Amino acid sequence: MGGGGQQTEPGEPTSGKAKGVYTWEEVQSHSSKNDKWLVIDRKVYNITQWAKRHPGGFRVIGHYAGEDATEAFTAFHPDYKFVQKFLKPLLIGELAATEPSQDRDKNAAIVQDFKTLRAQVENQGLLQSHPSFFFLHLAHIVLLEALAWLIVSMWGTGWILTLLCSVLLATAQSQAGWLQHDFGHLSVFKRSRWNHVVHKFVIGHLKGASANWWNHRHFQHHAKPNIFTKDPDINMLNIFVLGQTQPVEYGIKKIKHMPYNHQHQYFFLVGPPLLIPVYFYMQIMKTMISRRDWVDLAWSLSYYLRFFSCYIPLYGVFGSLALMFFVRFLESHWFVWVTQMNHIPMDIDHEKHKDWLTMQLQSTCNIEQSFFNDWFSGHLNFQIEHHLFPTMPRHNYHLVAPQVRELCEKHGIPYQVKTLWRGFADIVTSLKSSGDLWLDAYLHK
């Protein structure tokens, strides 16, 4: 082996063994399902067995098998000293002195400049949160839910009041979605444990969903955004084709699960209306039961118990079920338009092994700042900053944005900012463009 390093078998304990010296070529050869190595700060780790126990899920850590995971590791783990005790038993060696710190064709200057920016951000205290901000946000969600119930319990369940109740509940659900996102990213409390506990309360009791399901899905998206087979958010189950590569590949192979040249039209029927009330909640329940995740299931059931206790006396069983589905229907529209405007119009392709800054900027864009845009999107109008610093509390995004823009300008990396309406329109425009590419390839290639 290059570098003369002593290797261990996949998953073999390394304590007490001599550590090896490895080349990038050797590291990259360990990227299969049953044999995974990765590099963090030039140290080589065998994560084959650990991946199964990784708190963020085996997929997200597996996406970096055979690669340098330093930037992703730093971005996702706010308490470096705490996770060191998990890394130590996995250490099998280090990179040879002749090997560069970054793998493949990553730009060393960009990697170093972003590392410097992160150090500046930490020194400026921008990774520290103001918990009062998040608890005020929680208070306004509880207020919306209470107001929705009081309206129909005090003044009746007529159509107008029921519609008003539904809008208030959908608003509370959407805002709770943004709030659980904060706790899920460990961006509120200094101690991860407290973030995890409150995350289960918000996503479980306030929304009826699963914290573990969200974690395992969402961190894959952050680790490899807009990369096929690695980002579950672009796994459209053959209902849509996305970007410029996939449509042509499908067209050449004569794959026609749907009339993709019309996807910008049927998107309005199967995308925003159905994602949360049908697809997500079927997947959430299936995941909790199949994985025997009884803690998350208990939190989820507490939401349904609370909801039906409040609304069955007013609407009956079928009426309360209809109310719940309608609220999910409204929330789903809100969620889909906000979450897709930052990613669907951007570059979507196979793995290119880019550095953290370049990868995130190619797959994300921002929406203009305003009080409404911040509230409406849960500050995900600063999607670029959120992706670069996923543990940063959202009230600091606007403070780091000028520094990020400056770094992007230095290296010629496009930093896109759109109006809210332009962001919405670009979803449809990009779907039409991809559909046209598919039709051309299907007919002529």
Side-chain angles (χ1 to χ4, degrees), residues 71 190 203 238 260 262 303 321 375 433:
E71 292 184 301
K190 289 183 179 180
I203 196 172
N238 293 316
Y260 297 121
H262 295 293
Y303 162 80
L321 281 170
W375 174 83
S433 176

Side-chain angles (χ1 to χ4, degrees), residues 73-279:
F73 175 83
T74 304
F76 291 137
H77 300 92
D79 190 344
Y80 182 80
K81 291 182 179 179
F82 175 74
V83 295
Q84 269 296 108
K85 66 180 182 180
F86 297 101
L87 282 177
K88 191 174 180 180
L90 311 177
L91 180 65
I92 58 173
E94 61 185 18
L95 291 174
T98 54
E99 292 292 297
S101 293
Q102 67 285 339
D103 59 334
R104 306 183 193 264
D105 296 323
K106 292 177 182 176
N107 187 313
I110 295 178
V111 172
Q112 182 56 49
D113 281 353
F114 183 72
K115 183 177 181 180
T116 301
L117 173 60
R118 183 174 180 87
Q120 292 173 354
V121 165
E122 290 177 351
N123 291 334
Q124 293 166 3
L126 297 182
L127 296 180
Q128 304 302 315
S129 75
H130 303 298
S132 58
F133 171 91
F134 299 99
F135 283 102
L136 285 172
H137 196 79
L138 175 61
H140 108 284
I141 293 168
V142 173
L143 181 63
L144 286 168
E145 291 228 357
L147 186 59
W149 179 79
L150 284 171
I151 286 173
V152 291
S153 64
M154 293 180 65
W155 295 310
T157 56
W159 285 105
I160 300 299
L161 292 176
T162 297
L163 180 60
L164 179 58
C165 171
S166 301
V167 170
L168 291 173
L169 287 175
T171 302
Q173 285 295 297
S174 294
Q175 292 300 319
W178 308 143
L179 184 61
Q180 68 83 22
H181 180 262
D182 298 314
F183 290 103
H185 274 293
L186 313 179
S187 62
V188 181
F189 298 112
K190 289 183 179 180
R191 296 190 63 177
S192 297
R193 177 178 176 80
W194 284 108
N195 284 297
H196 290 308
V197 169
V198 182
H199 186 215
K200 287 187 181 296
F201 167 77
V202 176
I203 196 172
H205 184 67
L206 295 185
K207 293 189 62 61
S210 163
N212 288 333
W213 168 84
W214 182 89
N215 283 333
H216 293 177
R217 179 187 176 93
H218 191 67
F219 284 120
Q220 290 184 73
H221 162 68
H222 271 269
K224 296 288 185 176
N226 283 15
I227 295 176
F228 290 120
T229 74
K230 295 185 176 181
D231 180 358
D233 285 7
I234 58 170
N235 175 17
M236 297 296 178
L237 304 176
N238 293 316
I239 298 174
F240 301 100
V241 288
L242 303 175
Q244 297 182 338
T245 301
Q246 186 187 45
V248 175
E249 290 177 347
Y250 272 44
I252 291 174
K253 296 176 182 178
K254 308 306 176 187
I255 298 175
K256 187 183 180 182
H257 297 290
M258 299 286 285
Y260 297 121
N261 53 310
H262 295 293
Q263 65 180 6
H264 61 292
Q265 296 168 322
Y266 65 72
F267 167 77
F268 291 92
L269 299 176
V270 301
L274 302 181
L275 182 65
I276 288 179
V278 178
Y279 175 67

Side-chain angles (χ1 to χ4, degrees), residues 327-389:
V327 169
R328 297 288 189 218
F329 171 84
L330 296 176
E331 177 201 359
S332 188
H333 281 81
W334 193 329
F335 176 83
V336 169
W337 288 103
V338 168
T339 57
Q340 300 311 305
M341 67 184 179
N342 301 110
H343 295 295
I344 292 296
M346 305 302 291
D347 183 57
I348 301 175
D349 211 332
H350 299 289
E351 177 67 82
K352 295 179 180 178
H353 301 288
K354 297 289 185 181
D355 60 86
W356 187 256
L357 181 71
T358 303
M359 176 177 67
Q360 302 296 347
L361 266 293
Q362 287 181 344
S363 59
T364 57
C365 68
N366 279 4
I367 302 298
E368 290 178 346
Q369 183 187 22
S370 70
F371 177 81
F372 176 79
N373 286 355
D374 290 352
W375 174 83
F376 183 75
S377 68
H379 289 82
L380 294 182
N381 49 328
F382 287 98
Q383 190 76 211
I384 291 172
E385 287 68 32
H386 171 57
H387 265 255
L388 291 176
F389 306 100

